[in-house]
Amino acid sequence: MEDELEPSLRPPTQIQGRILLLTICAAGIGGTFQFGYNLSIINAPTSHIQEFTNETWQARTGEPLPDHLILLMWSLIVSLYPLGGLFGALLAGPLAITLGRKKSLLVNNIFVVLAAILFGFSRKAGSFEMIMLGRLLVGVSAGVSMNIQPMYLGESAPKELRGAVAMSSAIFTALGIVMGQVVGLRELLGDPQAWPLLLASCLVPGVLQLASLPLLPESPRYLLIDCGDTEACLAALRQLRGSGDLARELEELEEERAACQGCRARRPWELFQHRALRRQVTSLVVLGSAMELCGNDLMYAYASSVFQKAGVPEAKVQYATIGTGSCELLMAIVSLSQETPSHCLPHTSGTMAGCMGLCFLPLKCVAVERMGRRVLLIGGYSLMACWGSIFTVALCLQSSFPWTLYLAVACIFASILSFGIGPGGLVPLSLCPFPWCLCLWGHLHWPVPS
């Protein structure tokens, strides 16, 4: 009987939940999903691209490249991605203010389209420089989206769901990593002849975002505070919240608008000079630096070689590597249940937050509201330090005690799971009252090359 209800008779919360879920998916698929996807797909064609670089150089000069120069060229291809991410993070703030959150995410796909064209035709053109430029462009796209996506979703979600919605960025990142590992399997696009298609497959999430995001509302905060359009803000709120009482939320936005009157976007050094923001900005720098330097990416980098030395057949290593990405995805989903307030679950049936919160309700014993983010962060980093120390000792002793390689394998999975307990996917919206603070947080993710 319920399925036969007319669309106009459906409960407002159900409609609201569906639109919020669609907004999260549309922003995430072309946002942090792209970041994780492009981060992981480069691993599968490593040897194929190195061979292509050597063959291209030999065709041009008549001499093959020495091994150390092949490695240097490959390192440059990989490192241009975080370099582009840093440039993208610098662009994100001006884009978000000038074009708006939604339009910035849409325009950002221009970089993805250009990169996909470069990747797809690089082998036909006999140019490894096209791969380098493509990696730089997808890095710029990732830098923009990693800053604007949490800003857009945080401003679109109701207060009680902002923690869970912020955690969706981590879920899409982990999902992108796993999908990149899966698509890179030899049975799919990991074949020696298919690597240009593998790299160009980043176009698919971009097209999905271009097809879906225009149908969804712009950030209400941007419409009111940056554009001064009260009617458009109210229409966006109605689309996101349903037909409930929006007067209080609109009043809060009006108060924020009045407080921001005459303010301009601050430069990074000016944030430290502002007494009211200094403590929050310092916390952002500490948290962002800790996440960047914690060594989680190092575990991914060592995983394949450790699996091989531990006796996993070379043809099966790729399947074992998928397990590392799956661990991070699992912990990201569990973190979502931690971030979803239990009193909101009955009112969000049909939404991703409600479904995930109900599925992982037994894990609420370690929920954020009971332990707090600080405890989870300290616990996660402490465990990672423990597993990292054991991992280092195990690798040092592998020649004397071969069984320590199995210990190293266990430490890889344990460290990734520990990262997901607290540090993974942390987007401190409560510490980012202004867009430029959130952009500063995004800048800290890119200084260290992957």
Side-chain angles (χ1 to χ4, degrees):
M1 190 71 180
E2 188 178 344
D3 295 337
E4 298 174 358
L5 285 174
E6 299 274 338
S8 59
L9 299 178
R10 286 174 187 161
T13 1
Q14 187 177 359
I15 298 172
Q16 166 205 341
R18 287 183 180 177
I19 293 174
L20 181 60
L21 176 58
L22 287 172
T23 303
I24 292 169
C25 292
I29 196 69
T32 52
F33 179 90
Q34 280 277 32
F35 163 69
Y37 187 75
N38 287 293
L39 190 67
S40 63
I41 59 170
I42 198 66
N43 295 322
T46 299
S47 59
H48 311 319
I49 295 177
Q50 288 178 352
E51 288 173 12
F52 168 72
T53 303
N54 189 32
E55 290 169 2
T56 303
W57 186 266
Q58 191 168 4
R60 292 177 184 176
T61 64
E63 295 181 1
L65 270 175
D67 290 343
H68 70 280
L69 287 181
I70 293 176
L71 184 60
L72 178 63
M73 301 296 283
W74 172 248
S75 300
L76 187 59
I77 288 172
V78 173
S79 299
L80 280 171
Y81 183 64
L83 180 63
L86 183 58
F87 291 151
L90 294 171
L91 283 174
L95 277 177
I97 294 170
T98 306
L99 300 178
R101 298 8 169 189
K102 187 177 82 168
K103 195 177 289 185
S104 295
L105 289 173
L106 292 171
V107 170
N108 186 42
N109 285 292
I110 293 173
F111 298 115
V112 176
V113 173
L114 292 175
I117 292 171
L118 290 169
F119 290 143
F121 291 98
S122 58
R123 189 169 62 183
K124 275 193 173 182
S127 172
F128 55 81
E129 294 87 354
M130 291 173 70
I131 302 175
M132 293 179 179
L133 183 56
R135 288 290 290 175
L136 182 69
L137 290 175
V138 290
V140 172
S141 172
V144 171
S145 61
M146 283 190 70
N147 283 271
I148 296 181
Q149 180 191 333
M151 192 189 304
Y152 173 53
L153 295 180
E155 292 174 357
S156 299
K159 275 186 177 180
E160 62 271 16
L161 289 177
R162 276 179 193 164
V165 169
M167 281 305 305
S168 69
S169 297
I171 290 179
F172 279 104
T173 300
L175 184 60
I177 290 173
V178 174
M179 284 301 297
Q181 292 169 340
V182 171
V183 173
L185 292 174
R186 291 181 184 87
E187 293 82 356
L188 297 177
L189 294 180
D191 186 81
Q193 301 303 314
W195 63 262
L197 288 177
L198 174 61
L199 296 181
S201 62
C202 63
L203 182 63
V204 176
V207 170
L208 289 174
Q209 185 177 72
L210 287 170
S212 57
L213 195 58
L215 306 175
L216 298 164
E218 174 60 276
S219 156
R221 183 187 183 277
Y222 168 77
L223 292 171
L224 183 63
I225 295 177
D226 292 314
C227 299
D229 192 338
T230 307
E231 291 299 320
C233 172
L234 195 56
L237 283 173
R238 285 199 186 107
Q239 199 173 351
L240 287 163
R241 307 284 187 268
S243 56
D245 183 17
L246 304 173
R248 184 171 180 179
E249 188 167 358
L250 193 62
E251 184 182 348
E252 289 175 357
L253 286 171
E254 289 284 5
E255 290 174 0
E256 187 178 350
R257 179 188 179 186
C260 294
Q261 204 76 30
C263 293
R264 60 172 178 83
R266 299 175 186 273
R267 296 176 178 86
W269 56 87
E270 292 176 337
L271 295 174
F272 289 96
Q273 296 170 357
H274 196 290
R275 176 173 288 184
L277 295 176
R278 191 178 300 152
R279 187 179 182 86
Q280 298 174 18
V281 173
T282 303
S283 299
L284 286 175
V285 172
V286 171
L287 291 173
S289 302
M291 183 178 290
E292 185 63 26
L293 299 171
C294 69
N296 188 56
D297 292 343
L298 191 67
M299 291 299 177
Y300 283 106
Y302 275 97
S304 296
S305 60
V306 171
F307 290 153
Q308 286 182 11
K309 291 179 180 178
V312 178
E314 188 175 353
K316 304 294 182 184
V317 166
Q318 55 183 346
Y319 301 105
T321 306
I322 292 175
T324 59
S326 300
C327 283
E328 190 166 342
L329 177 60
L330 173 64
M331 292 310 299
I333 294 173
V334 172
S335 296
L336 177 65
S337 73
Q338 295 173 357
E339 290 285 344
T340 307
S342 55
H343 67 274
C344 294
L345 294 177
H347 304 288
T348 54
S349 58
T351 68
M352 183 174 69
C355 293
M356 293 302 180
L358 289 171
C359 290
F360 290 95
L361 198 57
L363 296 167
K364 297 298 282 185
C365 58
V366 290
V368 172
E369 59 264 27
R370 293 191 181 182
M371 300 180 66
R373 287 182 176 86
R374 184 169 176 269
V375 174
L376 291 174
L377 284 168
I378 293 173
Y381 283 130
S382 299
L383 287 173
M384 288 184 74
C386 174
W387 302 128
S389 302
I390 297 173
F391 179 76
T392 304
V393 172
L395 290 184
C396 292
L397 297 177
Q398 60 179 309
S399 56
S400 304
F401 304 98
W403 58 268
T404 57
L405 285 170
Y406 300 106
L407 183 61
V409 170
C411 286
I412 288 174
F413 287 98
S415 179
I416 292 171
L417 289 169
S418 300
F419 177 76
I421 288 176
L426 175 69
V427 181
L429 292 177
S430 57
L431 294 176
C432 302
F434 304 108
W436 50 85
C437 291
L438 192 56
C439 287
L440 176 63
W441 165 261
H443 294 166
L444 297 170
H445 284 74
W446 296 103
V448 179
S450 57

